[in-house]
Amino acid sequence: MSSTSRIRLLPSDQPEMNQPITTPLPTKKASRWNSPYDTTGLQPLVSVFMTQPAYSRICVHSVSDLKNEVGGILVGQWCLDDNHEQFIVVEHALPARHTRQGSVYLTFTQDSLVDIHDQIDTNYKGQSIVGWYHTHPSMVIFLSHYDTWLHSNFFPEPWQVALVVEPVSATGGFFVRQKHGLLDPTRYFGFYELDGNYGRSMVYWTNLYQLEEEKGDASK
Ligand SMILES: [Zn+2]
């Protein structure tokens, strides 16, 4: 029983694939959702694309407990387009099944991380942990001191991101390292919703707004 251990990302059996996949930015297939901070001159190192199944899984998990924090791992691909622009595609969200949760903190236990590595090896071969998510019930969207510590120690790749969701007011945002390497714990970014549903959006977070003009933009 390892119920007292804090997050511990075990080394995977396979060496991590630390090379991005070269592929075009999938902006044609996506709708952009901006946060209020997206237009304030910050320079995120990566853009975040997320599939609708991953988004809905995170939302269902987030509203499952409106008092305690819940969280999990974001699985997908780290990519590079021809213009050397980096982005990640969040393809799956894996709720951590064994967590210790209190009203103001969440820790992944060793069991949950073994479970996550097992799931990736079994079901998502070739994909990477592109980040993690957790909820802040009845709090604002930010990274606490502990969240920042956890992110830098266990998700140290520059392209790994942290998603915070507030399930009561239905808000959310991604914390992404900037090109100069710093992570701002108070200013979060929006994302690109990859349409899997004939262009119908699933995003309902009230703090993000859709950029209509980018939708269906055929110029790329
Ligand atoms: Zn937190």
Side-chain angles (χ1 to χ4, degrees), residues 92-215:
H92 307 281
L94 306 183
R97 285 189 279 216
H98 310 275
T99 52
R100 304 187 68 206
Q101 50 205 33
S103 58
V104 293
Y105 73 97
L106 170 127
T107 61
F108 298 100
T109 65
Q110 196 162 359
D111 287 345
S112 72
L113 293 160
V114 169
D115 180 47
I116 280 158
H117 279 287
D118 283 350
Q119 286 190 62
I120 292 173
D121 287 346
T122 309
N123 302 320
Y124 310 111
K125 248 195 169 22
Q127 298 198 23
S128 305
I129 292 175
V130 293
W132 61 298
Y133 71 93
H134 75 293
T135 57
H136 276 182
S138 301
M139 291 187 283
V140 294
I141 304 298
F142 75 111
L143 290 181
S144 69
H145 191 72
Y146 171 67
D147 295 336
T148 305
W149 174 87
L150 192 151
H151 190 62
S152 57
N153 280 279
F154 298 103
F155 303 90
E157 299 289 354
W159 41 271
Q160 288 179 317
V161 301
L163 169 64
V164 176
V165 179
E166 202 291 280
V168 179
S169 65
T171 54
F174 282 93
F175 293 87
V176 183
R177 293 179 181 93
Q178 295 181 61
K179 287 179 176 163
H180 52 61
L182 290 182
L183 178 71
D184 187 324
T186 60
R187 294 190 287 182
Y188 55 85
F189 297 95
F191 66 100
Y192 289 90
E193 176 188 17
L194 279 169
D195 285 338
N197 196 15
Y198 303 100
R200 203 141 53 107
S201 177
M202 298 183 72
V203 177
Y204 67 96
W205 291 339
T206 55
N207 61 328
L208 303 184
Y209 58 94
Q210 191 170 24
L211 290 188
E212 292 290 345
E213 63 270 26
E214 283 201 14
K215 193 167 178 179

